[in-house]
Amino acid sequence: MSPLTTSLPAGVGLGLRSQHFEQVVEGRPALPFFEALTDNYLADGGPALAWLERVRALYPLSFHGVGLSLGSSDPLDEAYLDRVASAVDRFEPSWVSDHLCWTSVDGRHLHELLPLPYTDEVATFVAERILRVQDRLKRRIGIENVSAYLEMQPSEMPEWEFLALVAERADCEILFDVNNIYVSGTNLGFDPQKYISEVPAERVVQLHLAGYSVEEDLLLDSHGSPVQDPVWKLYRNTLEKLGPKPTIIEWDKDVPDFDTLLNEAQLAQTVFDEALRAG
Amino acid sequence: MLAELQRQFADEILRGGVKAGIYSKTVLGALIGALEDSFEACRATVGAEFFGAMAGRYVRSTPSRSPSLDDYGDTFADFIADFEPAQQLPYLADLARLEWARHRCSTAADSQPMDPARLAEVPEALRDSLSFKLAPGLALVASDYPIDGIWELARNPSLPNVDLDDGGVSLLVHRNGATTLHVRLQPPEHQLIELLLEDVPFGGLCERLDEPSPAPALIARAIRLGWITGLA
């Protein structure tokens, strides 16, 4: 496979929401790229696919999915993988990613990014599945660290070690979600700074930013609000440590008007530019 | 090891067990959210609280079997039909069937209208064995109640009330470009679509369709309206 690359569109892009299709296509905002949720574009037809064609004609895309269930003990869902492959063929996204988690077992789909036990054996198991996905898609994929609300036992290493091990064994990319390390760090009691300093920078091809919410005594990765202050701070630290990686703002619950999203992207772009200048 | 661990955790999530922590709430919440999106008219008709309770019962008994959340809810209408507290609303299950058919149709494969002249080009000798392709996502929903009126009322509560004694309807769900529609069918049209869904060829249609609506005229109309999109 080709060497890992960071020469793809730089700067801060936005998650594409159906509410904003028209504004994006008509208004052509000055953004470097959009991220599409892969699962929203796997149907046989319909208006969303037609809109995505139009967006793709104007912008590079990142495809970000939730359905590969890379950490599941179930066999890989070949039919789903076929659908992802044909969407990738059709839209030629600059990146393709899913999550380092499991979402299904025994054919039951939970539609939630569930944590894995962090062991050497599980790392090998997941890496082999990622290799098979990459073979099928004929390209490297990115895996994203998820928000965790509890620790899956038995775990024998911290998450950053597990993530690095899987990425190494699968020779895949990492989509580093800054909000998720803040959420998981707070929930499980680890230091996000440690995570940032341990993640293999050369494999990280994208960053995610989002808003969290507070429920009971946990932080939830809710994607329904602006990025909060502690996450902005971690974003600065991440750019300093990993370099100016292309970044996406995820806001897919209680989706605000497009200007609010543009403003959020602008805030991130300012931080990004500062990091770029600092070199 | 991993399979057993995941199986137990999934069981715990779906039964709302304490060991699943907040994941029960997020998982069941996502499933209920999918039903709310696909069955908006049912929700508006019975109110958020009743719908939430009904959907809550369904999601506990019916795991999602597809990686796509859009596929979730295919048996919800049947569940509603058997759901004791909804028995006072005998039209509710049919309203759910209509919404599900619309939901499926909205993402069915795109299709182009067929040139009616193609039918005339088929040699006489082959015509009887000719089959027709229906537009992807096209579906029939029949009910003893005026569910199209109930659907409109759910979307626009300022409309006059629907009289349940107005009688039943046969509805055809289909898509025109980006727009998913349903239209009322007359009995001969209903019969035609039913036969086409059974893949009955032209000869069979001519035999089985009742007068006074001859099959060729009905078929020509179905082609013109984009219900039939090809020959096979």
Side-chain angles (χ1 to χ4, degrees):
Chain A
M1 217 170 290
S2 57
L4 289 159
T5 173
T6 50
S7 64
L8 291 157
V12 180
L14 281 174
L16 180 65
R17 309 290 162 239
S18 59
Q19 293 89 332
H20 305 140
F21 282 150
E22 205 166 335
Q23 274 160 299
V24 171
V25 169
E26 305 295 331
R28 303 187 184 194
L31 289 166
F33 56 90
F34 279 92
E35 179 185 84
L37 290 175
T38 316
D39 302 81
N40 290 348
Y41 304 96
L42 299 180
D44 294 331
L49 283 167
W51 277 113
L52 192 63
E53 288 276 10
R54 299 176 69 185
V55 175
R56 178 66 187 92
L58 300 169
Y59 296 92
L61 289 179
S62 174
F63 262 22
H64 185 54
V66 293
L68 283 172
S69 205
L70 293 168
S72 172
S73 52
D74 279 1
L76 270 178
D77 184 337
E78 297 291 342
Y80 176 81
L81 191 49
D82 285 347
R83 286 197 284 156
V84 173
S86 62
V88 167
D89 284 347
R90 176 170 174 187
F91 293 101
E92 301 180 329
S94 301
W95 303 277
V96 178
S97 61
D98 203 302
H99 298 80
L100 183 57
C101 72
W102 60 288
T103 59
S104 58
V105 64
D106 293 340
R108 295 177 294 175
H109 291 263
L110 288 319
H111 306 285
E112 173 62 286
L113 309 171
L114 299 164
L116 287 160
Y118 298 144
T119 69
D120 190 82
E121 189 189 338
V122 173
T124 299
F125 172 76
V126 178
E128 278 168 7
R129 288 166 66 90
I130 295 169
L131 283 166
R132 283 169 53 207
V133 170
Q134 295 186 140
D135 276 352
R136 176 71 184 84
L137 299 181
K138 300 184 195 74
R139 61 185 294 158
R140 229 182 233 110
I141 64 164
I143 49 171
E144 182 190 326
N145 57 299
V146 299
S147 277
Y149 311 136
L150 55 77
E151 214 160 1
M152 200 61 83
Q153 295 300 342
S155 279
E156 55 193 34
M157 64 184 87
E159 186 177 292
W160 51 85
E161 239 178 88
F162 183 77
L163 175 64
L165 204 55
V166 173
E168 178 66 33
R169 288 177 184 168
D171 189 19
C172 69
E173 300 165 343
I174 293 172
L175 195 179
F176 192 62
D177 190 310
V178 181
N179 182 58
N180 285 352
I181 61 162
Y182 182 71
V183 167
S184 295
T186 306
N187 290 341
L188 308 183
F190 66 74
D191 178 8
Q193 300 289 354
K194 174 82 176 153
Y195 205 138
I196 294 169
S197 63
E198 295 293 329
V199 71
E202 71 283 3
R203 291 202 178 271
V204 176
V205 296
Q206 273 178 290
L207 304 177
H208 267 177
L209 290 173
Y212 59 80
S213 59
V214 184
E215 184 142 341
E216 294 164 27
D217 47 0
L218 288 172
L219 300 188
L220 294 191
D221 177 33
S222 45
H223 295 193
S225 62
V227 176
Q228 280 103 322
D229 287 344
V231 177
W232 282 124
K233 186 165 172 288
L234 281 179
Y235 180 50
R236 270 192 193 87
N237 302 148
T238 304
L239 293 172
E240 283 160 17
K241 178 70 181 51
L242 306 183
K245 307 279 186 181
T247 304
I248 288 145
I249 307 275
E250 295 181 291
W251 191 333
D252 48 40
K253 304 275 155 52
D254 302 322
V255 177
D257 59 47
F258 192 60
D259 287 345
T260 304
L261 287 186
L262 276 179
N263 186 47
E264 197 72 353
Q266 192 50 56
L267 288 175
Q269 187 67 51
T270 306
V271 179
F272 185 94
D273 292 341
E274 281 166 19
L276 206 57
R277 277 196 298 277
Chain B
M1 183 280 282
L2 189 62
E4 193 46 38
L5 186 146
Q6 292 181 336
R7 192 169 298 133
Q8 283 177 12
F9 198 69
D11 289 346
E12 194 72 3
I13 285 175
L14 294 171
R15 80 164 156 263
V18 63
K19 281 189 209 149
I22 196 115
Y23 285 111
S24 272
K25 192 171 172 181
T26 59
V27 166
L28 299 176
L31 295 176
I32 292 172
L35 297 175
E36 287 171 349
D37 289 347
S38 302
F39 299 95
E40 277 180 40
C42 287
R43 185 166 185 255
T45 301
V46 300
E49 199 181 337
F50 186 95
F51 188 89
M54 184 163 71
R57 288 277 287 277
Y58 178 75
V59 300
R60 280 181 168 74
S61 64
T62 318
S64 166
R65 294 286 172 190
S66 162
S68 170
L69 202 46
D70 267 349
D71 294 337
Y72 189 67
D74 58 334
T75 58
F76 191 48
D78 295 337
F79 174 87
I80 292 175
D82 293 333
F83 186 60
E84 195 58 40
Q87 296 307 307
Q88 293 144 291
L89 306 172
Y91 53 81
L92 192 63
D94 288 343
L95 182 63
R97 283 191 185 97
L98 171 62
E99 291 203 275
W100 186 252
R102 289 182 56 97
H103 174 67
R104 297 316 278 180
C105 188
S106 69
T107 56
D110 302 322
S111 63
Q112 296 298 320
M114 176 189 146
D115 179 0
R118 281 184 57 201
L119 192 54
E121 290 161 9
V122 177
E124 192 72 39
L126 298 178
R127 206 165 289 174
D128 277 0
S129 57
L130 197 63
S131 285
F132 297 92
K133 273 195 273 190
L134 287 168
L138 180 141
L140 268 185
V141 183
S143 174
D144 292 336
Y145 301 93
I147 50 170
D148 50 351
I150 298 169
W151 184 88
E152 290 289 350
L153 184 64
R155 290 164 63 89
N156 182 1
S158 63
L159 290 172
N161 262 331
V162 174
D163 186 352
L164 291 183
D165 295 330
D166 276 354
V169 288
S170 162
L171 301 175
L172 181 80
V173 174
H174 71 113
R175 208 168 77 220
N176 185 358
T179 312
T180 303
L181 308 160
H182 55 259
V183 292
R184 277 194 189 200
L185 295 185
Q186 297 305 312
E189 296 167 326
H190 175 91
Q191 201 189 355
L192 170 73
I193 300 294
E194 234 174 16
L195 294 171
L196 289 173
L197 286 167
E198 288 169 29
D199 212 15
V200 174
F202 186 75
L205 296 175
C206 292
E207 278 167 32
R208 290 168 68 180
L209 282 168
D210 307 329
E211 293 290 340
S213 305
L218 278 173
I219 290 166
R221 187 173 135 76
I223 292 172
R224 214 167 50 240
L225 293 171
W227 303 344
I228 290 173
T229 54
L231 306 175

